[in-house]
């Protein structure tokens, strides 16, 4: 089955840029979605179809997908961006979630 | 307001059954599939499968066949997850979630989650 490894954790200084990768064989051929999950809360969709933002999601969140990795970029990181982030694809009629990355804002 | 509202936390003994409800409101219930996602304590998201609201046909992911049952009551726009013969390893938060085919199968609405604890 398809696997989506992510780094366990990413740290970013307040106001700087965080990048979270989501690996997968030829992942560029699939649409990647990203979810933010804060402690005790349900996930929230922050990026869909590689790089599109749902309404209400700040422009500081952006996404890209090329080769064997998709990337979620958080610009001008804020304390409120501290959360777990998961990538997700739809592969062979199956949802696959990434392993998840904890983002810490220093 | 589009939302999925789930039933409250459950504490069950091993071997018992539990039924989690997920009530949809604010949208046409039949237009979107409902998926179920499990999150064990301190772990990531795990897709359990989905149910076709129009046909009631469920699809179960690997590892979620046999004891897990998805069902519907369209008259009250509610989806259900039943877990039979509960085991300690079923302890988790269970989410229902709305799938958006037009967003390339992204999940755009999540229920608030239902904590199920299995303990003797």
């Amino acid at each position: 089955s398809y696997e989506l490894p992510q780094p366990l954790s990413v740290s970013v200084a307040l106001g700087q840029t965080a990048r979270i990768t989501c690996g997968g064989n030829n992942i560029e051929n699939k649409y990647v979605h990203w979810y933010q999950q804060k402690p005790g809360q349900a996930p929230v969709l922050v990026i869909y179809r590689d790089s599109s933002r749902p309404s209400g999601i700040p422009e500081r969140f952006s996404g890209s997908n090329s080769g064997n990795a998709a990337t979620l970029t958080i610009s001008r990181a804020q304390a409120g961006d501290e959360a777990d982030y998961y990538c997700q694809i739809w592969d062979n009629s199956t949802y696959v979630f990434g392993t998840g990355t904890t983002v810490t804002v220093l | 307001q589009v939302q999925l509202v789930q039933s409250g936390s459950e504490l069950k003994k091993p071997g018992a059954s539990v039924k989690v409800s997920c009530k949809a409101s604010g949208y046409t219930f039949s237009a979107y599939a409902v998926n179920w996602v499990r999150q064990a304590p301190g772990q990531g998201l795990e897709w359990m499968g989905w149910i076709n609201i129009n046909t009631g046909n469920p699809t179960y992911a690997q590892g979620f066949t046999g004891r897990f049952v998805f069902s519907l009551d369209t008259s009250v726009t509610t989806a259900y997850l039943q877990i039979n013969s509960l085991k300690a390893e079923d302890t988790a938060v269970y989410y229902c979630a709305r799938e958006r085919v037009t967003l390339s199968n992204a999940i755009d609405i999540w229920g608030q989650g239902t904590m199920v604890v299995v303990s003797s």
Side-chain angles (χ1 to χ4, degrees):
Chain A
S1 62
Y2 206 92
E3 295 184 350
L4 297 174
Q6 298 180 230
L8 195 58
S9 63
V10 167
S11 297
V12 58
L14 187 68
Q16 297 305 302
T17 298
R19 293 180 178 84
I20 306 163
T21 57
C22 172
N25 187 33
N26 291 322
I27 198 172
E28 66 178 354
N29 295 327
K30 305 184 186 299
Y31 282 125
V32 177
H33 316 301
W34 291 91
Y35 302 89
Q36 175 194 69
Q37 185 180 32
K38 295 182 179 179
Q41 298 184 19
V44 172
L45 180 67
V46 294
I47 292 288
Y48 67 93
R49 210 180 284 146
D50 297 339
S51 58
S52 298
R53 271 187 318 277
S55 61
I57 301 301
E59 291 183 4
R60 301 184 298 101
F61 289 85
S62 62
S64 63
N65 187 6
S66 178
N68 294 318
T71 303
L72 173 68
T73 301
I74 308 172
S75 304
R76 303 180 300 283
Q78 301 179 358
D81 298 333
E82 284 204 338
D84 293 330
Y85 292 83
Y86 295 91
C87 59
Q88 175 250 312
I89 64 167
W90 177 250
D91 178 65
N92 284 333
S93 301
T94 299
Y95 275 102
V96 181
F97 286 100
T99 52
T101 299
T102 299
V103 171
T104 301
V105 180
L106 305 172
Chain B
Q1 178 186 5
V2 176
Q3 59 181 355
L4 297 171
V5 178
Q6 298 184 225
S7 48
S9 299
E10 301 268 9
L11 174 59
K12 295 290 185 181
K13 295 188 182 303
S17 295
V18 67
K19 193 169 187 177
V20 176
S21 66
C22 169
K23 180 166 176 60
S25 61
Y27 70 95
T28 302
F29 185 55
S30 59
Y32 304 91
V34 170
N35 287 257
W36 290 93
V37 177
R38 181 172 78 177
Q39 188 169 38
Q43 302 301 308
L45 303 172
E46 188 175 17
W47 182 65
M48 301 174 65
W50 66 286
I51 187 163
N52 184 312
I53 304 300
N54 288 307
T55 66
N57 184 48
T59 299
Y60 301 98
Q62 282 187 0
F64 294 98
T65 56
R67 298 188 298 115
F68 299 85
V69 180
F70 305 151
S71 62
L72 297 171
D73 185 345
T74 55
S75 68
V76 290
T77 64
T78 300
Y80 300 94
L81 163 66
Q82 181 164 326
I83 311 172
N84 300 316
S85 303
L86 282 162
K87 305 176 182 181
E89 51 263 43
D90 294 324
T91 294
V93 176
Y94 292 85
Y95 294 100
C96 61
R98 187 180 83 164
E99 174 182 336
R100 288 290 301 274
V101 173
T102 54
L103 299 186
S104 301
N105 302 103
I107 293 174
D108 68 335
I109 302 294
W110 296 71
Q112 83 275 22
T114 296
M115 181 74 209
V116 174
V117 176
V118 183
S119 174
S120 55

